[in-house]
Amino acid sequence: MLQVTQLSKTYGLEPILKDINFTLNPGDRFGLVGINGTGKTTLLRIIAGEETSDKGTVSFFPQTLRIGYLPQGMHIDDKSSIGLFLGGNPEELSDLEEELGQLAISLANHPENQTDQSQFDLILNRINLIHEIQHQAPAILNALGLGVYDLRTPVAQLSGGQKTRLMLSKVLMQNPKLLILDEPTNHLDIGMLEWLENWINQFQGGVLLVSHDRTFLDQTVNGILELDEHSHKISFTQGNYSDYLDQKIAK
């Protein structure tokens, strides 16, 4: 699913990541830990394609793997609506369905037209995604304290914490196969935390997350990747955060 090989990153003369190697498979839920400034966010950004490494590779299997990435400090355009931000804008459906119908007629007359076929598939996937988001939206938004808002509600009406939860909602609705989450528990109350823990534990794909909430890590992960502040390398411990601490103390 995800293979990181010999990854290194330097800012100026200061190494941040050095020869990082690990593999994450479906069912793996890894917590990425290390003191502040060790490069956890940098590593997530490189994996998500938001930043480049100096050397090494990040490989996905398959290459078209759908990734859900929640960064810290993600920006939402205040001019957007909740539905538009989530990618499930119902106002877009009628235009897409009309275009799909026109392409279907064209393909019936010219089935060999690869351009029309590619466009047909693209629009159909977009329509299916909108329906999927609309289907999931009520339950996820409600669980994250946003259920009182209509999908047409302007994002500008939300508080900073609500916007963070809206970002998380979008990531979870994208039907990802790999989740990359940077501090997903920010602005979540106990009920929301428990819901997210259950969601992650039922998720069939792979998860790589950063969190300072040790209880959350104990409840969700089955492996710990530790970035060392001195060597800038990574080590792996099987189990949750408590298992990692026990093995670290025993060394």
Side-chain angles (χ1 to χ4, degrees):
M1 174 169 277
L2 168 65
Q3 184 172 345
V4 177
T5 307
Q6 296 293 306
L7 203 70
S8 295
K9 179 72 175 181
T10 300
Y11 291 132
L13 298 176
E14 187 69 26
I16 300 296
L17 306 170
K18 186 175 181 180
D19 295 330
I20 302 297
N21 297 279
F22 68 91
T23 299
L24 190 148
N25 295 307
D28 289 339
R29 302 187 302 275
F30 293 167
L32 179 61
V33 302
I35 67 170
N36 289 339
T38 53
K40 300 186 297 295
T41 291
T42 298
L43 178 56
L44 295 191
R45 283 177 54 81
I46 291 172
I47 293 171
E50 298 289 320
E51 193 167 334
T52 59
S53 62
D54 295 332
K55 76 167 190 175
T57 59
V58 174
S59 303
F60 300 108
F61 305 97
Q63 291 184 350
T64 55
L65 185 73
R66 186 180 293 182
I67 300 168
Y69 172 49
L70 178 72
Q72 288 193 61
M74 180 179 177
H75 175 71
I76 303 179
D77 183 1
D78 279 348
K79 296 178 182 178
S80 177
S81 66
I82 289 177
L84 190 59
F85 174 74
L86 293 176
N89 184 16
E91 297 173 2
E92 189 183 355
L93 271 177
S94 58
D95 290 339
L96 288 172
E97 288 170 346
E98 181 179 349
E99 188 175 352
L100 192 72
Q102 292 172 352
L103 285 167
I105 293 172
S106 176
L107 284 168
N109 295 322
H110 306 284
E112 74 286 350
N113 190 319
Q114 292 300 313
T115 300
D116 281 356
Q117 184 62 61
S118 297
Q119 186 67 9
F120 183 92
D121 294 341
L122 188 67
I123 293 175
L124 182 60
N125 287 337
R126 176 66 184 150
I127 290 172
N128 289 337
L129 180 60
I130 290 175
H131 283 303
E132 190 174 317
I133 288 173
Q134 287 179 325
H135 176 71
Q136 296 183 72
I140 293 180
L141 290 173
N142 188 61
L144 294 175
L146 299 170
V148 296
Y149 295 103
D150 186 273
L151 291 179
R152 292 167 293 186
T153 302
V155 170
Q157 293 184 16
L158 304 182
S159 68
Q162 288 172 325
K163 289 177 182 178
T164 299
R165 298 200 298 273
L166 181 61
M167 296 172 200
L168 178 59
S169 300
K170 180 174 184 174
V171 171
L172 301 183
M173 287 181 199
Q174 289 174 336
N175 191 28
K177 301 304 179 185
L178 172 63
L179 274 175
I180 302 174
L181 306 174
D182 198 347
E183 296 291 355
T185 62
N186 288 348
H187 305 289
L188 301 186
D189 63 23
I190 293 176
M192 296 172 193
L193 272 172
E194 291 176 348
W195 177 87
L196 182 58
E197 288 170 2
N198 289 332
W199 197 98
I200 289 175
N201 286 324
Q202 294 173 16
F203 180 60
Q204 298 298 307
V207 180
L208 179 62
L209 65 88
V210 171
S211 177
H212 288 92
D213 188 329
R214 296 182 178 186
T215 301
F216 179 73
L217 289 173
D218 267 347
Q219 296 297 325
T220 55
V221 306
N222 53 25
I224 295 290
L225 294 166
E226 181 187 19
L227 269 173
D228 185 86
E229 68 270 27
H230 302 297
S231 68
H232 309 289
K233 295 187 176 183
I234 209 163
S235 59
F236 176 74
T237 302
Q238 190 74 43
N240 62 18
Y241 190 80
S242 292
D243 296 325
Y244 153 76
L245 280 184
D246 288 344
Q247 293 187 45
K248 193 174 178 69
I249 292 170
K251 288 181 180 179

